[in-house]
Amino acid sequence: FHWGGCGPFGAPTPRADAMRLLLCQTPMLTYIQAVENLEMMALRYGCDLILLPEMCMEHPAQCQNEGELTLENVALLMLSRLAKQCRVYIVLGSVEERADCNTVYDTCVVFNREGDIVFRYRKQTTNWTNKVQGTEPGFFDTEFGLVGVLLGHEADEEARWDLLLERQVSMVVNPSRVGAQLDPVLLRARPDLQAAAWHQSFRHIERVVEARCRRHACS
């Protein structure tokens, strides 16, 4: 997928300098499986940014400061090395961050092309009683412009979009994980039904983006 910014009503505008996105919708993987799959896909297709969904990767606890998201965590270290090797940004949708025994966040982690962790976004809207809400909006900078982050159903909240679009972001990424809406047995017999459900979801997101871009005159 190539993204060159917002055209009329938020439609993507392809350009020669457009960011190339690799969008991954994966089941829960071990960090070794995730790195192996991402390396294969990045080398095969070529991309500038890899976007992973929420809660897609199991990662080991720290030897110290359990759950703290740094490169001391072997899973994050391997993703860092992959980002540097393939010269890509990686947006790890979210993993569980334990700041202390009583403070747990769903946190998005962003790596730059050098493999550095350049941004951590703590999800601001959560329905889990054992998790704490973040307080800061999500942005990170690239050579293509400022990129905003919304996790899951935050994309349905108008106030979240207002904060991002006021900063004139070039793009908003929305890593998500939605539970299966259809019977697994039916899906095996009729995989086209899953594609139809995805298309319906995409149309809803498209309407949301169009409304926000009209309001903020995104161009």
Side-chain angles (χ1 to χ4, degrees), residues 32-207:
I32 294 175
Q33 289 173 319
V35 170
E36 288 176 345
N37 289 340
L38 289 178
E39 182 177 16
M40 178 182 65
M41 299 294 283
L43 293 175
R44 177 184 299 175
Y45 295 109
C47 58
D48 297 298
L49 184 148
I50 298 172
L51 179 63
L52 290 159
E54 294 183 285
M55 297 300 174
C56 67
M57 188 182 77
E58 295 177 353
H59 69 104
Q62 304 288 68
C63 296
Q64 298 177 335
N65 300 326
E66 180 177 356
E68 191 174 301
L69 300 178
T70 71
L71 294 183
E72 292 179 10
N73 183 310
V74 65
L76 300 186
L77 178 61
M78 291 181 69
L79 285 175
S80 167
R81 289 173 176 170
L82 176 65
K84 186 173 183 178
Q85 172 192 340
C86 296
R87 302 291 300 165
V88 297
Y89 295 91
I90 297 178
V91 179
L92 178 57
S94 69
V95 289
E96 199 168 82
E97 175 190 6
R98 293 184 179 272
D100 56 52
C101 294
N102 299 314
T103 308
V104 182
Y105 300 95
D106 285 332
T107 301
C108 171
V109 182
V110 180
F111 301 85
N112 67 10
R113 294 184 190 270
E114 298 297 328
D116 302 318
I117 295 177
V118 292
F119 181 62
R120 298 175 185 82
Y121 170 66
R122 290 170 170 171
K123 190 173 185 178
Q124 298 180 81
T125 301
T126 179
N127 296 323
W128 296 96
T129 57
N130 65 328
K131 293 184 177 178
V132 179
Q133 296 180 340
T135 58
E136 299 293 330
F139 309 95
F140 65 97
D141 203 11
T142 74
E143 65 269 32
F144 299 95
L146 194 64
V147 177
V149 180
L150 296 170
L151 292 179
H153 293 296
E154 290 181 337
D156 295 325
E157 301 175 39
E158 185 169 341
R160 305 285 183 221
W161 280 91
D162 290 342
L163 289 171
L164 298 183
L165 294 177
E166 284 170 4
R167 291 285 300 272
Q168 298 183 334
V169 294
S170 297
M171 178 175 66
V172 176
V173 294
N174 178 220
S176 303
R177 176 167 296 283
V178 179
Q181 305 294 315
L182 301 173
D183 187 306
V185 176
L186 180 60
L187 283 179
R188 282 195 291 271
R190 293 284 307 279
D192 59 299
L193 294 178
Q194 180 65 80
W198 282 339
H199 291 161
Q200 183 177 1
S201 175
F202 294 154
R203 284 193 291 272
H204 168 70
I205 293 172
E206 183 180 23
R207 288 193 294 270

